[in-house]
Amino acid sequence: LAARSGAGPTVAGLAATYLRCRALAAPALLAIFVAAGSFRGVRDTRTPLIAAVASNVVNLAGDCVLMFGCGMGVAGAALATAASQYVSAAVLVAALVRTGLLDPADVRHPPSLESAMPLLRAGAALSARNLSTMGVIILGTSMVSSLGAASLAAHEVLRQLYIVSIQVFSSLDVAAQSLVASHLGHGDRGAARAVLVRVLQLGTAAGACVGVALACGARALPGLFTADAAVAASAAAVIPIVAAFMPFDAAAAVLDGGLLGASETAWVSRTTVLVSAVCLLTLLGARRAGGGLAAVWLSLKVLTIGRAV
């Protein structure tokens, strides 16, 4: 898979090692998704926070020990992350049992297919959404990997900056989802609408502030990740693109949460698959035109704009 993505032998070998080690945590990751969603449903965001803090502490310690102390490099990083996810899953599942949201006895008796069908349908819709989104992101990464090691490293710098930046407003989609679902559950559509509008305003404003901060730090920020001048220059050239779309990223996240809170999973899935198809065509056009790293990121932002619309 790594080789087919366009990566060179060295990058493909490291990617395969990382993927094999991370795959060990697949059961834990699924448990985290279910448990975190359960706590969101009862508007408990503190417990997932505690689990996340514990996970990150273990991850950081594992990186220091395995990557540097044991010299395991990429494999050490992956194993540290996998271990941290098992810690997070353990914290969340223990909290589910302690709060009475999960009875261990129920786990021994799987539900009937009939009772599980509503969840399976909603899950299938959301899986289609996620797979279509990840498909275009994978294609974008494949295009970048064919540009060389420096571009691929710059792409990873940009991806990390993006992930860190969206944390400023990404929690608002959880708030929108929980509060909209709660008000609709009580039959108060007016309150649900008012909450969504207010959260959308807050999220967009936060996204704009983050975008300005990124734009102002475009030259300095890559230096936090790399000392390679070529990598830093490539990343710095694309940061303004990432910054300009931050308000739209925030709006898309909040509206996505609001729609999921309204149980509009089928709508979210259909529209995201359609937008992903448009984004796919844009990426293919950029590849045909010989576009570089900036063209890939601009093409991927079609996904952001389409989701927001």
Side-chain angles (χ1 to χ4, degrees):
L1 288 174
R4 289 179 66 85
S5 69
T10 301
V11 173
L14 292 173
T17 298
Y18 188 84
L19 182 59
R20 289 191 186 99
C21 295
R22 282 297 304 275
L24 297 174
L29 195 56
L30 292 172
I32 290 171
F33 288 155
V34 173
S38 300
F39 284 113
R40 288 182 187 181
V42 295
R43 291 190 288 180
D44 178 357
T45 55
R46 180 175 298 177
T47 301
L49 171 62
I50 293 171
V53 170
S55 174
N56 280 283
V57 169
V58 171
N59 200 346
L60 178 59
D63 282 340
C64 293
V65 173
L66 298 177
M67 289 179 65
F68 305 114
C70 300
M72 296 178 65
V74 167
L79 290 173
T81 302
S84 72
Q85 289 172 337
Y86 274 102
V87 169
S88 180
V91 171
L92 289 170
V93 171
L96 285 174
V97 174
R98 187 179 66 254
T99 57
L101 291 173
L102 174 65
D103 184 348
D106 292 336
V107 180
R108 296 195 296 267
H109 305 287
S112 66
L113 181 61
E114 182 180 0
S115 64
M117 279 307 297
L119 289 174
L120 292 176
R121 281 194 292 268
L126 293 177
S127 292
R129 178 195 70 159
N130 294 339
L131 288 172
S132 63
T133 301
M134 289 305 301
V136 295
I137 293 174
I138 290 172
L139 175 61
T141 303
S142 173
M143 290 170 58
V144 172
S145 68
S146 67
L147 299 175
S151 292
L152 185 58
H155 179 67
E156 180 61 18
V157 169
L158 292 165
R159 194 178 73 87
Q160 292 298 332
L161 281 173
Y162 173 77
I163 291 173
V164 170
S165 299
I166 65 174
Q167 301 312 309
V168 174
F169 53 76
S170 64
S171 60
L172 293 176
D173 73 323
V174 178
Q177 181 178 350
S178 298
L179 293 173
V180 166
S182 178
H183 287 302
L184 289 180
H186 289 92
D188 193 343
R189 294 180 62 85
R193 185 179 298 109
V195 164
L196 183 58
V197 169
R198 178 55 57 86
V199 176
L200 180 61
Q201 292 169 339
L202 292 172
T204 305
C209 292
V210 172
V212 170
L214 280 175
C216 292
R219 290 184 176 276
L221 288 172
L224 299 175
F225 298 87
T226 179
D228 188 296
V231 174
S234 296
V238 182
I239 286 178
I241 296 174
V242 180
F245 284 93
M246 273 293 158
F248 299 99
D249 283 306
V254 170
L255 292 171
D256 207 43
L259 285 167
L260 293 178
S263 299
E264 292 287 352
T265 52
W267 166 263
V268 171
S269 176
R270 287 196 300 268
T271 54
T272 304
V273 170
L274 176 61
V275 169
S276 296
V278 175
C279 186
L280 175 66
L281 293 175
T282 307
L283 280 168
L284 293 175
R287 183 165 66 179
R288 181 179 292 271
L293 184 60
V296 170
W297 275 85
L298 275 172
S299 299
L300 288 174
K301 288 306 172 183
V302 170
L303 193 61
T304 295
I305 297 299
R307 286 177 59 222
V309 170

